Amino acid sequence: MSETGAEKATGSGSMPDWEKRFRAPRVSLPDWAEDAPQRALFVSNATGTYELYAWDRETGAQRQVTDRANGTTDGVLSPDGEWIWWFNDKDGDEFGVWMRQPFAGGPDEPAVPGLDASYPAGLALGRDGGTVVVGRSTDEDGTTIHVVRPRGAGGRGAEPVEVYRHRESAGVGDLSHDGTLIAVEHTEHGDAMHSALRVIRPDGSTVAELDDTKGGEVELGLEVLGFAPVAGDSRLLVGHQRRGRWEPMVWDVASGEESDLDLGLPGDVSAEWYPDGSALLIAHGFEARGELFRYDLASRELERVETPAGSVSGATARPDGTVEYMWSSAAEPPVVRSTSGGAVLDPPGMKAPGSVPVEDVWVEGPGGRVHALVQRPAGAHGPLPTVFEVHGGPTWHDSDSFAAGPAAWIDHGYAVVRVNYRGSTGYGREWTDALKHRVGLIELEDIAAVREWAVASGLADPGRLVLSGGSWGGYLTLLGLGTQPEVWAVGLAAVPVADYVTAYEDEMEALKAMDRTLFGGTPEEVPERFAASSPLTYVDQVRAPVYISAGVNDPRCPIRQIDNYVDRLAARGAVHEVYRYDAGHGSLVVDERIKQVALELDFAARHLPGSRKA
């Protein structure tokens, strides 16, 4: 599509609903300072680019903190509310340094001057007057963790001291209230999908270890959920998989005592502390929906926190006991709600139009029942042109939550099917861990099973099936076009893996570790597995027109491996279009997002018979 065509697609005149959904002002769930809860930090697209904003909840005053061409979303408040830390990378390449700015406003300054640029590997800011723990990841050093201790009131911290180093992936989990304990998630055992935990002192000496990857028939993961927010309290909230799904427990790292919390909930459970440490805010995800509970640690009683049906994508307990949470459903746009009633932040301006609800479909697949979420235009009857919108991750899942991209396809007369294939989270450990060695091919088997249902049920027109996705979903799109060339009419791949061996060579170190886990080795050690799972292997079998979009600064799905794939398409005259943009793994600029959706709608309309023009 030419530049002029793109401008027409994003259009002048009356704005279509699909574009309004992208342009309508949005806000994230506000973060707040533990020792100054009236001070908050949130992300908004109010200026047309997603940036950080400070909010004084007592006065109502809000101000924009960051202002960068490609946007900023990674930020955190210091516990005393005096400083806003934000990560300064270059045009979305995710490689940079932490900066900080006074909450009240003022110039930015390097937050930890003694540390060079890196990929971030966790950050913890202490409530003890200024201890800082910074995780870094580089190709040269692997993971390193550094501690900066305070020098004195009003002064900058001392020089950073390295307290941890390992070639495998690791990260800062949390810092205790008094700054004496640091929780680290690590994969020193070589399995990047299942972390072990180590608690160390600021001098690097070990206090305690917790490792569920040893001694059993299967490796189980652990995750840091946070230290108790109480002075002198050595309890650490931990996520575990010992009963086949994610659940919380309390681990006293001083005594070694583990307190199991068997809540009787069927899905994955996460948790965070209430501010006084007496209870836990429980987030339960099950079959693509979310709900909240309060768990009293003394009485061991579980009480539901009332939320509407749909998805809760984040929640926090405030000092007054109220809970604020981000809620949406496939039909209703996101809003930050409070249990005290009403919206917490309701940005002025245009409101995003709603969409249509999802239907749940369960299909028998080769590895068990596959859950799919289906949307179709209101009142429409099949067979319809159908977009199989494949989620990224792969350790992620689609849910009954609002998404502007699928809603745009529905507005243009398409049905949309989203499949939570094996490898997805939310359906137990075995479902997630099934994705090994036959990477990509396993997921496509599940997508194929749902595709057969969609055609047989009369929902989908078998001659007008679109395979689409971003990141891992883009990878599965290209792999599916090559391994299942007879069934897909159009392919749309955003920021994909296209040539797996070259992607491995160029990607960030943490993703190399993940790929070694998924494939059971490096491309040199298991070349046949990488070849079997690489879209480049099957590029000459692709029949469908292919549209690819790619960020030139993407460290996750780097540009060189995409160019290799595109060159092979071009060499045999295959129908394809490529759109490159100056950002990383996606864009934080609203106009850019709209342009990319318009380009995809236009490409499908030109190559899919009977489709509605963008």
Side-chain angles (χ1 to χ4, degrees):
M1 184 177 185
S2 66
E3 189 69 24
T4 301
E7 289 170 357
K8 290 179 180 177
T10 55
S12 57
S14 60
M15 187 182 299
D17 279 355
W18 73 264
E19 184 175 340
K20 290 178 183 177
R21 295 189 189 99
F22 285 93
R23 293 200 183 280
R26 286 192 179 189
V27 294
S28 68
L29 179 71
D31 183 23
W32 51 274
E34 295 96 324
D35 297 321
Q38 76 280 7
R39 293 190 167 185
L41 183 70
F42 64 92
V43 175
S44 176
N45 65 343
T47 64
T49 300
Y50 284 85
E51 297 285 3
L52 296 169
Y53 288 77
W55 177 28
D56 187 321
R57 300 179 66 139
E58 286 186 342
T59 66
Q62 298 177 8
R63 70 172 187 86
Q64 185 175 340
V65 175
T66 52
D67 184 8
R68 303 194 303 154
N70 281 303
T72 315
T73 58
D74 292 337
V76 64
L77 273 171
S78 61
D80 60 8
E82 293 298 321
W83 293 94
I84 297 167
W85 287 53
W86 60 274
F87 193 73
N88 184 24
D89 65 348
K90 183 179 180 182
D91 296 328
D93 67 359
E94 302 182 41
F95 193 84
V97 298
W98 287 99
M99 304 291 289
R100 69 176 192 171
Q101 180 185 129
F103 182 86
D108 296 306
E109 63 183 33
V112 188
L115 295 180
D116 293 332
S118 68
Y119 297 110
L123 174 71
L125 305 180
R127 301 175 70 174
D128 62 338
T131 297
V132 174
V133 186
V134 182
R136 303 172 66 253
S137 174
T138 65
D139 292 343
E140 298 78 16
D141 298 329
T143 304
T144 59
I145 294 176
H146 306 259
V147 173
V148 182
R149 298 293 265 176
R151 275 187 176 153
R156 296 190 62 82
E159 292 297 313
V161 176
E162 182 179 302
V163 297
Y164 178 92
R165 175 182 290 259
H166 203 278
R167 284 302 311 169
E168 296 293 345
S169 294
V172 178
D174 197 17
L175 179 65
S176 64
H177 185 286
D178 58 7
T180 62
L181 300 171
I182 302 165
V184 176
E185 295 182 2
H186 70 83
T187 60
E188 295 172 6
H189 50 283
D191 182 349
M193 293 183 67
H194 302 97
S195 294
L197 305 185
R198 179 174 300 144
V199 177
I200 62 176
R201 299 180 183 89
D203 63 5
S205 60
T206 298
V207 175
E209 301 258 14
L210 195 61
D211 188 349
D212 281 4
T213 67
K214 301 176 181 178
E217 295 181 0
V218 295
E219 293 191 336
L220 305 176
L222 298 166
E223 63 177 344
V224 173
L225 300 178
F227 278 107
V230 180
D233 197 327
S234 58
R235 292 176 300 166
L236 180 64
L237 191 59
V238 171
H240 69 89
Q241 296 179 302
R242 296 173 182 176
R243 283 185 285 266
R245 60 189 185 277
W246 283 108
E247 297 176 278
M249 69 174 181
V250 177
W251 176 35
D252 189 321
V253 301
S255 67
E257 180 184 1
E258 299 176 15
S259 300
D260 184 29
L261 308 176
D262 187 357
L263 303 179
L265 299 172
D268 282 344
V269 178
S270 186
E272 71 167 48
W273 297 94
Y274 271 73
D276 63 1
S278 67
L280 302 177
L281 177 60
I282 301 295
H284 176 229
F286 184 60
E287 296 183 351
R289 273 80 181 182
E291 56 186 349
L292 298 175
F293 297 86
R294 182 185 186 277
Y295 180 76
D296 187 280
L297 289 165
S299 67
R300 303 181 74 85
E301 292 182 356
L302 187 68
E303 178 184 1
R304 179 181 296 276
V305 176
E306 294 299 328
T307 61
S311 291
V312 177
S313 57
T316 183
R318 295 278 294 168
D320 63 0
T322 60
V323 174
E324 296 176 352
Y325 59 96
M326 175 66 79
W327 175 90
S328 73
S329 70
E332 297 182 62
V335 60
V336 180
R337 295 174 178 262
S338 171
T339 53
S340 65
V344 176
L345 279 173
D346 187 13
M350 172 173 44
K351 303 301 180 184
S355 187
V356 297
V358 295
E359 308 166 30
D360 293 273
V361 172
W362 292 88
V363 176
E364 288 298 329
R369 295 174 72 229
V370 183
H371 188 198
L373 302 175
V374 176
Q375 292 173 278
R376 68 186 84 200
H381 301 284
L384 299 168
T386 300
V387 176
F388 280 74
E389 186 74 29
V390 185
H391 72 71
T395 50
W396 191 252
H397 67 273
D398 281 314
S399 61
D400 182 11
S401 58
F402 195 78
W409 289 107
I410 295 162
D411 287 356
H412 287 79
Y414 296 80
V416 174
V417 178
R418 291 179 285 170
V419 181
N420 284 329
Y421 49 74
R422 277 171 290 170
S424 302
T425 55
Y427 299 86
R429 180 194 55 77
E430 289 186 4
W431 191 258
T432 301
D433 287 359
L435 180 56
K436 281 192 177 180
H437 299 179
R438 295 181 59 249
V439 176
L441 305 173
I442 291 172
E443 303 95 295
L444 288 171
E445 291 174 350
D446 293 342
I447 293 170
V450 176
R451 185 193 67 237
E452 291 173 5
W453 165 85
V455 172
S457 70
L459 169 72
D461 182 340
R464 294 190 290 169
L465 298 180
V466 178
L467 188 58
S468 176
S471 190
W472 196 264
Y475 158 63
L476 293 177
T477 293
L478 296 184
L479 189 62
L481 295 179
T483 60
Q484 305 168 352
E486 69 283 352
V487 298
W488 302 109
V490 169
L492 308 169
V495 292
V497 173
D499 168 4
Y500 221 127
V501 173
T502 303
Y504 181 87
E505 293 172 354
D506 293 354
E507 68 192 3
M508 60 172 59
E509 184 60 34
L511 294 183
K512 285 186 172 74
M514 177 61 75
D515 285 339
R516 290 192 296 271
T517 296
L518 291 174
F519 287 96
T522 68
E524 292 77 19
E525 294 166 339
V526 287
E528 71 287 350
R529 292 177 184 170
F530 276 83
S533 296
S534 178
L536 188 67
T537 301
Y538 311 97
V539 65
D540 291 338
Q541 280 71 58
V542 173
R543 300 178 191 173
V546 186
Y547 169 84
I548 298 173
S549 60
V552 298
N553 305 312
D554 190 345
R556 298 173 180 268
C557 299
I559 195 69
R560 182 168 71 102
Q561 51 95 26
I562 293 174
D563 289 341
N564 292 347
Y565 184 90
V566 170
D567 288 346
R568 288 281 296 276
L569 288 175
R572 66 182 183 88
V575 178
H576 71 285
E577 294 182 16
V578 183
Y579 173 66
R580 297 175 177 85
Y581 56 95
D582 186 20
H585 199 62
S587 176
L588 299 176
V589 179
V590 172
D591 281 344
E592 180 61 43
R593 291 187 177 187
I594 291 170
K595 181 178 181 179
Q596 291 180 29
V597 172
L599 288 168
E600 291 186 353
L601 290 166
D602 177 77
F603 187 86
R606 287 187 284 115
H607 294 286
L608 206 63
S611 296
R612 190 185 305 172
K613 297 294 182 181

